[in-house]
Amino acid sequence: MLYSKITKIQKKENKNQMKAILSLIALVLTFLSSNIYSQMNDNWEWMNPKPQGNTLNAIDFVNDNIGYSAGAYGTILKTTDNGVTWTKLNSDIQGQFTSIDFVDANTGYAGGNNQMLRKTTNGGQTWTSLQLPSAPDYNVMDIKFVNANTGYVLGFFIMESRIWKTTDGGLSWVTQTTDGANYINNLYFLDEMNGFGSGGSLGGQIIKTTNGGENWHFVYQDNYQKQSMVFLNAMTGFAGCEEGRVYKTTDGGDTWNFALSDAGIDMKSIKFMNANTGFAFGTGSVYAKTTDGGNNWIEHAIGLGSIRQYYDAVITPNGTIHAAGTYGAMIRSTDQGASFITAPFITEHHISNIKFVNNLTGYAVTGYDQGDILKTTDAGNTWVSQVSTYTLSIYGISFRNDQTGYLAGSLTLYKTVNGGTNWQQVYVSTTNEIFTDIFFTDDNTGYAIGTYGRQMKTTNAGASWTPTTISGGGTLLSSIFFTDANTGYTVGDNNAALKTTNAGVSWSAMSVAVPFENLSDVFFTDVNNGYISSNSHIFRTTDGGASWFALPTPAGGYAKVQFRGSFGYAIGGSGKIIKSTDAGASWIVQPTVTDNGLSALFFNTDNHVYAGGLLGTMIKTLPAEYNLTPVTGNGNIVPENYSLYQNYPNPFNPNTKIKFSITRAGMVNMSIYDVTGRKVEELVNSSFNAGTYELNWNASKYSSGVYFYTIRTSEFSETKRMVLVK
């Protein structure tokens, strides 16, 4: 059946597309000859900051408008409007990019850890892997191409640097020595023959070649690591160093002299706008500037927060300065550094809680540093702050409807009756209490908990609060949850786990874990089934808290856990996200989206899942399992034949439906491929009952073009073509 399909497509497609179809056949045959099973992974998208919040290590522009940036977790971004907006490209990897270099608008290279080196010839739409010789463990530190064919790649592994050269656009590489330089981290070439490398671990090193890298030799060494280099002409150049030091050469790099600088940043990137004006960015929220040809450097504030650091910079021909760095930082200046514009973000404070009152309207609060109250009315795509002055940290959210809600934080409990337009303090502590969570069982009755076992209860919608101390509450209660008007649970530090059956009048201890376990969150799906997350485990009860048992989760602590029926998520430090589809009996580790710690989690009624954490990180997903719609009631009507239907609409932008029928229960794989035969996404890879099903594919992160979707079962496979038009 696949071959007949190919015959039809052959009449319509060119030779390149025909090769793509043949590569799909090979993939199908490989699948049918093996017994492969993998769980479905969710595609998490960034809500704040946008377009993403992972560290960016490199940035490069090919003209005034077109630029690229690359960084952690396979992040590659592209702009076509001089950095006003950026689009995330699909690199199909999880590794870290440390360098990027484009020779023109279409052809570029990106490199990173574990000898990762990729090339694109279509402006980043697709990437192919390049192979460096005999260097499987080397990290690609820098890439420099001097023309379309000739380029250099710098690698590093365990105090050893290597340089590779290509003269055929990356098809083949020749290894070069570095004259014993032990930690070269950047390259700079004046032309095909004359270039420099700089770096150092215990001290600063500069090496030079005058014959295209056939020989490299030391020209300078001192006690300061060299972070970056730039030349104004063949004779005059600069090296940016740690501790804000800048060195200058006027004899083609043979000798270097210290230039006066009052900057304290490690100068990761140094660039010149003209012969007099230059800029340096690095490990700080400031930059250094010279206006006298690099003899003197003065430190200036960027003015966009104190947490950002900038690892690479570029100046476009029209004079726009661009810099990229930690936590997705992207800034630009069109007035020679007098002011900077940043990529959009609503907050840089730590997201401590997220709650939605309906499918569109939700709230997020920040804690652990400065408090903020954020609101969205479009399912998290945009957020607005509801505070205008400094606010103490906020941790808990409880809403009764889309207008009436409550917040708990440091010293204070808040209430709104108009959807957050105004927030009123309904309780202010006089004993420095910190309230970590709040829960309402009806419109009038609510509970807040916090430090030293403190419980605050209201029975009149927050007009007044009655304080009590929960015996056994320890130093900090972190979470509270009620399953009905009388039955509630609270957990906290030092294994504090308690239950009430009389609306908080009294609490009794539950046995959950070994002593000194810090319990962070409690959540129940019904009166019997509940979960507790901790600094090392996730626990479950099936008898209303009478007994608890540890679930087989991957190692590590979890800040929040939440389920809808048997389907749930848990989040934790370093961006860890795990998912269960069987009430916690087994867990799927989600591909890492970010290494920013996550501490807020909410599973909305429309099946979207929201997570938040460090420095304003907010991401969301529609679980892959919920992206599937049974058309015939999940097997009530058994189809007569296996079928793969044409997607609709087609062409599409960016969503399309894909329907298929299977006559027998079994494993089904549905994957998307581009015209080169590279798999760009796996929609499902799981077991299904006989029936007709419909999938939705959101291609918003992909470029316009022809794509192919392939279904594979043990008895059937077929491929069809579709067109994405943006």
Side-chain angles (χ1 to χ4, degrees):
M1 187 174 293
L2 274 176
Y3 287 99
S4 64
K5 178 63 180 176
I6 293 173
T7 302
K8 295 178 182 178
I9 295 177
Q10 187 177 15
K11 297 177 181 179
K12 302 177 182 179
E13 302 298 327
N14 58 31
K15 293 182 179 180
N16 289 334
Q17 291 173 339
M18 190 60 200
K19 291 179 180 178
I21 296 296
L22 291 174
S23 68
L24 290 179
I25 293 176
L27 289 169
V28 171
L29 293 176
T30 300
F31 175 85
L32 294 176
S33 64
S34 61
N35 183 19
I36 300 175
Y37 177 75
S38 63
Q39 299 282 0
M40 286 182 286
N41 292 315
D42 303 327
N43 292 312
W44 292 82
E45 60 178 299
W46 283 87
M47 296 186 295
N48 184 69
K50 289 188 175 181
Q52 63 90 51
N54 290 318
T55 292
L56 297 168
N57 297 309
I59 187 170
D60 188 35
F61 271 71
V62 296
N63 53 42
D64 284 334
N65 293 311
I66 299 176
Y68 299 84
S69 186
Y73 300 107
T75 300
I76 299 180
L77 307 177
K78 180 178 181 178
T79 181
T80 57
D81 55 12
N82 196 21
V84 176
T85 59
W86 291 84
T87 301
K88 189 175 181 181
L89 303 178
N90 181 35
S91 68
D92 197 32
I93 66 167
Q94 282 287 305
Q96 174 158 285
F97 287 113
T98 54
S99 55
I100 193 166
D101 189 51
F102 271 74
V103 298
D104 56 44
N106 294 312
T107 304
Y109 302 81
N113 56 354
N114 297 324
Q115 198 191 284
M116 181 170 60
L117 183 61
R118 294 205 162 195
K119 178 181 180 178
T120 181
T121 57
N122 54 13
Q125 293 185 42
T126 58
W127 297 80
T128 57
S129 294
L130 301 180
Q131 184 63 48
L132 296 171
S134 304
D137 297 317
Y138 275 72
N139 296 324
V140 172
M141 305 296 293
D142 202 7
I143 305 171
K144 288 292 185 297
F145 271 74
V146 296
N147 55 49
N149 294 312
T150 303
Y152 298 81
V153 166
L154 173 65
F156 172 77
F157 178 66
I158 309 182
M159 298 299 294
E160 181 182 347
S161 295
R162 287 186 185 178
I163 298 174
W164 296 274
K165 179 180 180 180
T166 181
T167 56
D168 54 14
L171 295 177
S172 61
W173 298 85
V174 176
T175 304
Q176 300 182 336
T177 61
T178 60
D179 195 25
N182 62 6
Y183 197 154
I184 301 300
N185 53 37
N186 67 91
L187 296 172
Y188 189 91
F189 276 82
L190 295 166
D191 51 45
E192 189 171 345
M193 302 304 291
N194 297 282
F196 298 84
S198 66
S201 56
L202 302 178
Q205 303 171 333
I206 300 177
I207 58 175
K208 178 180 179 180
T209 182
T210 57
N211 56 9
E214 290 186 20
N215 303 104
W216 291 84
H217 61 277
F218 273 98
V219 292
Y220 187 76
Q221 189 166 7
D222 62 14
N223 295 324
Y224 296 94
Q225 293 181 25
K226 305 298 179 287
Q227 309 277 350
S228 56
M229 297 190 74
V230 67
F231 274 74
L232 298 179
N233 51 53
M235 303 304 292
T236 304
F238 301 86
C241 307
E242 60 181 337
E243 300 180 12
R245 299 177 70 90
V246 179
Y247 289 81
K248 181 178 181 179
T249 180
T250 56
D251 59 4
D254 291 330
T255 59
W256 297 80
N257 297 301
F258 176 64
L260 185 62
S261 172
D262 73 346
I265 60 174
D266 291 350
M267 294 189 169
K268 296 288 188 179
S269 183
I270 186 168
K271 297 291 187 292
F272 270 77
M273 185 172 291
N274 52 49
N276 294 314
T277 306
F279 300 83
F281 294 84
T283 53
S285 57
V286 298
Y287 72 95
K289 181 178 180 179
T290 180
T291 56
D292 61 1
N295 294 315
N296 295 273
W297 295 80
I298 306 298
E299 186 175 289
H300 300 269
I302 293 174
L304 297 175
S306 60
I307 62 169
R308 307 276 177 160
Q309 300 181 14
Y310 301 90
Y311 292 159
D312 199 13
V314 66
I315 301 177
T316 59
N318 66 1
T320 302
I321 306 167
H322 296 270
T326 56
Y327 307 112
M330 304 194 80
I331 57 173
R332 71 184 193 279
S333 175
T334 57
D335 54 12
Q336 298 190 17
S339 62
F340 284 87
I341 305 167
T342 184
F345 61 88
I346 183 59
T347 184
E348 291 185 302
H349 303 302
H350 194 124
I351 304 296
S352 53
N353 212 328
I354 300 173
K355 293 283 174 62
F356 274 72
V357 298
N358 54 47
N359 292 344
L360 296 176
T361 303
Y363 296 83
V365 294
T366 68
Y368 309 104
D369 48 9
Q370 180 174 327
D372 200 352
I373 307 168
L374 311 173
K375 181 179 180 179
T376 180
T377 56
D378 57 6
N381 292 319
T382 58
W383 298 79
V384 295
S385 175
Q386 295 190 312
V387 300
S388 57
T389 58
Y390 176 82
T391 301
L392 295 175
S393 294
I394 303 172
Y395 302 102
I397 307 174
S398 181
F399 266 80
R400 296 304 304 164
N401 52 55
D402 61 353
Q403 296 297 309
T404 304
Y406 301 83
L407 303 176
S410 294
L411 308 181
T412 308
L413 303 176
Y414 301 88
K415 180 180 179 179
T416 182
V417 293
N418 55 13
T421 301
N422 304 106
W423 289 92
Q424 175 188 1
Q425 292 182 347
V426 292
Y427 180 83
V428 179
S429 172
T430 59
T431 56
N432 295 324
E433 296 159 316
I434 297 174
F435 299 106
T436 56
D437 201 9
I438 189 167
F439 195 100
F440 271 71
T441 57
D442 58 42
D443 289 343
N444 293 308
T445 307
Y447 305 80
I449 47 93
T451 50
Y452 299 104
R454 180 66 100 187
Q455 172 190 275
M456 305 295 298
K457 180 177 179 180
T458 181
T459 56
N460 54 13
S464 62
W465 296 81
T466 302
T468 59
T469 298
I470 299 175
S471 177
T475 58
L476 178 68
L477 292 173
S478 56
S479 178
I480 187 169
F481 194 98
F482 276 76
T483 57
D484 57 42
N486 293 308
T487 306
Y489 303 83
T490 186
V491 299
D493 286 357
N494 296 325
N495 203 35
L498 303 113
K499 176 180 180 178
T500 181
T501 56
N502 55 12
V505 175
S506 62
W507 295 80
S508 58
M510 299 181 296
S511 179
V512 175
V514 296
F516 309 114
E517 188 93 5
N518 291 328
L519 310 180
S520 55
D521 190 38
V522 58
F523 184 87
F524 274 72
T525 58
D526 54 45
V527 295
N528 292 313
N529 292 281
Y531 302 84
I532 291 176
S533 60
S534 79
N535 60 317
S536 61
H537 294 92
I538 294 176
F539 303 91
R540 183 186 177 192
T541 181
T542 58
D543 53 16
S547 61
W548 295 84
F549 55 92
L551 296 173
T553 55
Y558 298 92
K560 286 286 194 300
V561 59
Q562 193 165 133
F563 273 79
R564 292 194 64 199
S566 61
F567 197 105
Y569 286 82
I571 58 170
S574 301
K576 180 183 290 186
I577 304 174
I578 60 174
K579 177 175 71 173
S580 177
T581 61
D582 53 12
S586 62
W587 294 85
I588 307 159
V589 178
Q590 295 287 281
T592 304
V593 180
T594 177
D595 58 7
N596 298 345
L598 299 174
S599 54
L601 178 67
F602 190 75
F603 204 144
N604 206 2
T605 55
D606 65 351
N607 300 324
H608 281 86
V609 182
Y610 297 80
L614 184 68
L615 299 173
T617 294
M618 282 197 283
I619 56 179
K620 77 172 182 178
T621 188
L622 178 63
E625 290 81 357
Y626 286 113
N627 209 19
L628 178 68
T629 304
V631 176
T632 62
N634 200 23
N636 291 331
I637 301 175
V638 178
E640 294 182 0
N641 300 299
Y642 285 94
S643 298
L644 177 64
Y645 299 87
Q646 186 64 50
N647 68 300
Y648 65 93
N650 188 40
F652 65 97
N653 178 30
N655 291 287
T656 189
K657 302 288 186 181
I658 300 173
K659 188 167 70 171
F660 64 91
S661 297
I662 57 175
T663 63
R664 185 177 301 176
M667 288 292 298
V668 175
N669 180 282
M670 181 76 72
S671 296
I672 309 295
Y673 299 86
D674 62 21
V675 294
T676 68
R678 181 176 63 93
K679 182 166 71 173
V680 299
E681 195 160 328
E682 184 176 76
L683 297 184
V684 294
N685 191 26
S686 190
S687 180
F688 293 87
N689 293 324
T692 299
Y693 299 85
E694 188 174 80
L695 293 165
N696 177 73
W697 184 43
N698 185 326
S700 57
K701 66 180 180 180
Y702 299 106
S703 304
S704 298
V706 175
Y707 293 85
F708 301 92
Y709 56 102
T710 297
I711 185 174
R712 310 171 187 127
T713 75
S714 61
E715 300 180 12
F716 171 75
S717 60
E718 189 169 354
T719 298
K720 287 185 180 290
R721 175 183 181 271
M722 56 185 170
V723 180
L724 172 62
V725 178
K726 292 188 174 181

